[in-house]
Amino acid sequence: MGEPRDLLLSLTGVDLGHGDRVVLPGLHLGLRRGERVALLGPSGAGKSTLLGALRRQLGDTAAWCPQQHGLVPQLAVYHNIYMGRLAEHSALANLWNLVCPLAGPWRQVAELCDALGLAGLMRRPVEQLSGGQRQRVAIARALYQQRALFLGDEPVASVDPHQALRLLALIEARHATAVIALHQRELALSHFDRVWGLRDGRLVIDAPARELSLADLDGLYPDADGLPREAAYRDRP
């Protein structure tokens, strides 16, 4: 897992939750620099709660891609992506950018849109996009932040398996460290270094992906017998 100096954060016996409600009691885990972690578990297991805690601790070092996208439907694709670095510009520049996009940001966003299959959509309001396109806009906004670490709450849930592979590759190319919540167990084994698995409010898996099998991950889900095997899975060498 690397040397102690590579530790980005550590949670030791921490209770995580919302208000007085504890969702993940007595949590112990550490995140190390250069580690790509897949976060698995059934709905309601606490994945979003854990990601929220990581986001608060990591602050501005982490790019954030939320589950519900967090986009402004009436604004264009360009403006939604630009919002990822809104704080870097003055209020006057941001106001001007609404009417007449700034040349530098426009060029940078255009490059991201090309990479994400959104070319030609930069002026289109987000409300006119498909679910998969909105997902990619949310990812583009996170990538536009140009931060060392990526936190994603099911960022590839609304795209097909081939697009999911492509999007994960783009995230990996731009972020040395990542924690990404998924439901695709095969992707967790083939594209991540480590797996955190949550079930019933507990961290029941914290291990290198190469040491785990699909059967190990199936144990996270009460209805594991009915889970499909995604075609995108590739065995690790």
Side-chain angles (χ1 to χ4, degrees), residues 81-153:
I81 296 173
Y82 173 86
M83 286 168 61
R85 292 167 67 179
L86 201 65
E88 297 181 15
H89 303 276
S90 68
L92 182 60
N94 290 331
L95 184 61
W96 178 261
N97 183 66
L98 279 172
V99 180
C100 184
L102 302 170
W106 179 271
R107 183 172 56 255
Q108 294 169 336
V109 171
E111 292 172 357
L112 271 176
C113 285
D114 286 344
L116 287 160
L118 296 168
L121 299 177
M122 286 175 61
R123 295 186 185 275
R124 184 171 299 181
V126 163
E127 63 188 357
Q128 297 179 12
L129 302 182
S130 68
Q133 288 170 332
R134 294 184 192 194
Q135 186 92 75
R136 282 177 276 156
V137 172
I139 292 173
R141 183 187 56 198
L143 296 178
Y144 184 60
Q145 294 176 29
Q146 296 182 348
R147 294 175 177 173
L149 192 146
F150 184 96
L151 296 177
D153 195 350

Side-chain angles (χ1 to χ4, degrees), residues 9-18 21-31 37-42 44-59 62-65 67 149-154 178-182 194-199 201-206 220:
L9 66 82
S10 177
L11 301 178
T12 306
V14 176
D15 293 340
L16 300 181
H18 312 283
R21 178 173 173 260
V22 175
V23 177
L24 297 168
L27 188 67
H28 293 262
L29 61 78
L31 176 65
V37 180
L39 177 58
L40 301 180
K47 298 188 298 295
S48 295
T49 299
L50 176 53
L51 285 170
L54 297 181
R55 186 184 177 203
R56 288 189 295 273
Q57 288 219 14
L58 293 165
W64 171 237
C65 188
Q67 186 176 19
L149 192 146
F150 184 96
L151 296 177
D153 195 350
E154 300 185 22
V179 179
I180 298 178
L182 296 168
R194 192 165 197 84
V195 175
W196 293 341
L198 301 177
R199 181 169 181 177
R202 301 287 178 182
L203 181 68
V204 296
I205 294 177
D206 181 3
L220 297 171

